[in-house]
Amino acid sequence: MTAGPPGQPAVPGTALLRLVEVMATLRISCPWDRKQTHESLAPYLLEECYEVLDALESGEPAALRDELGDLLLQVVFQARIAADRADGTGFTIDDVAEGIVAKLVRRHPHVFGDVTVSGADEVISNWDTIKAAERAAAGGEPGTALDSVPFGQPALTLAAQLQRRAEGAGAPAGLADLAAGPVAQPVSAPTGAPVRQPVSEPAALPAGQPVSELGAELFALVARSRAAGLDPELELRAAARAYRDRVRAWERASRG
């Protein structure tokens, strides 16, 4: 952490400003940095995210600090590329920071406003309600709880996020059983607003979207892991590490 004036404590965030300055210099003076685009950096962004996760699982604070720095560089680099655009679509690292600050303040009315909450569950409920209102304001219509879910992420993570979003919106748990019967169809309420019939049995995908038995089992397994309070992606990664260790032990034994 960068020290402040003599006799003053260090100022948090000072080193971030230095990183922005260094990135600006590299963008001008380094041939490799100068030629990069949003698209060319995309693989590095994904790679750094996985390396942060590896460092987190290692339990080594120094490794986590270093990998978070590499990930932070990707954010600053992407923002610098955007700032260099001259077509009117650019933005700066300050725009990025101001955007997330505004979002955090807006989604925490119990901290920055006069809303009172009873606990973490109500915080999550309020967060989902605010996000739904934001989607409606942005698109001019209510949208769905699954808007903005990135389908490019690993399948286990995708399945867990879809289930989490749907449950937060009040979707019946039975919808996650893809091997069951057809989904209940919308009916009209007395007011004319579309609603869904109560689902008394686990529901499946609508006709026209077939899923294999194995795919349904995997999706159900994600639901089971979440019901147990576990992250399916992390559980599978832990199993993969255990298998790695077994294979390495077998290799050592085989070499005698």
Side-chain angles (χ1 to χ4, degrees):
M1 184 179 293
T2 304
Q8 297 287 330
V11 179
T14 301
L16 295 178
L17 297 177
R18 176 59 178 155
L19 174 58
V20 172
E21 293 175 354
V22 168
M23 188 67 254
T25 300
L26 291 175
R27 188 70 174 154
I28 295 171
S29 303
C30 175
W32 187 88
D33 289 279
R34 190 165 55 243
K35 67 184 284 189
Q36 299 310 305
T37 65
H38 292 302
E39 293 75 18
S40 71
L41 290 178
Y44 300 105
L45 178 60
L46 186 60
E47 178 182 312
E48 297 301 349
C49 288
Y50 283 124
E51 290 185 1
V52 167
L53 185 56
D54 279 342
L56 182 63
E57 293 173 344
S58 74
E60 299 178 6
L64 179 59
R65 178 200 63 206
D66 289 346
E67 296 302 341
L68 285 172
D70 290 343
L71 181 57
L72 178 60
L73 169 61
Q74 293 303 310
V75 175
V76 174
F77 206 157
Q78 290 278 356
R80 181 66 206 190
I81 291 173
D84 289 340
R85 291 204 297 268
D87 60 0
T89 66
F91 55 83
T92 68
I93 188 65
D94 286 326
D95 294 324
V96 173
E98 288 173 358
I100 189 59
V101 166
K103 182 182 294 185
L104 289 173
V105 171
R106 186 170 62 249
R107 294 185 182 178
H108 290 79
H110 56 287
V111 176
F112 301 101
D114 55 5
V115 173
T116 301
V117 295
S118 59
D121 288 343
E122 193 171 353
V123 170
I124 295 174
S125 177
N126 288 346
W127 180 285
D128 290 338
T129 299
I130 294 169
K131 285 177 65 175
E134 292 172 353
R135 287 194 295 268
E141 56 184 28
T144 81
L146 305 185
D147 288 344
S148 79
V149 173
F151 272 69
Q153 60 186 310
L156 279 177
T157 305
L158 171 61
Q161 186 175 8
L162 288 172
Q163 292 177 9
R164 198 163 49 242
R165 288 280 192 92
E167 290 173 11
L175 293 178
D177 186 355
L178 305 184
V183 171
Q185 296 301 310
V187 297
S188 295
T191 59
V195 298
R196 285 194 176 275
Q197 295 174 338
V199 178
S200 57
E201 296 181 358
L205 287 173
Q209 298 185 43
V211 62
S212 70
E213 179 179 353
L214 179 59
E217 290 177 357
L218 287 171
F219 201 81
L221 195 58
V222 172
R224 280 180 51 195
S225 68
R226 294 186 56 252
L230 302 172
D231 185 297
E233 190 85 14
L234 296 181
E235 293 305 307
L236 185 57
R237 287 173 62 86
R241 290 196 304 274
Y243 178 70
R244 173 201 61 194
D245 293 342
R246 287 188 177 190
V247 171
R248 287 177 175 174
W250 169 81
E251 289 175 331
R252 288 193 297 270
S254 298
R255 289 193 293 267

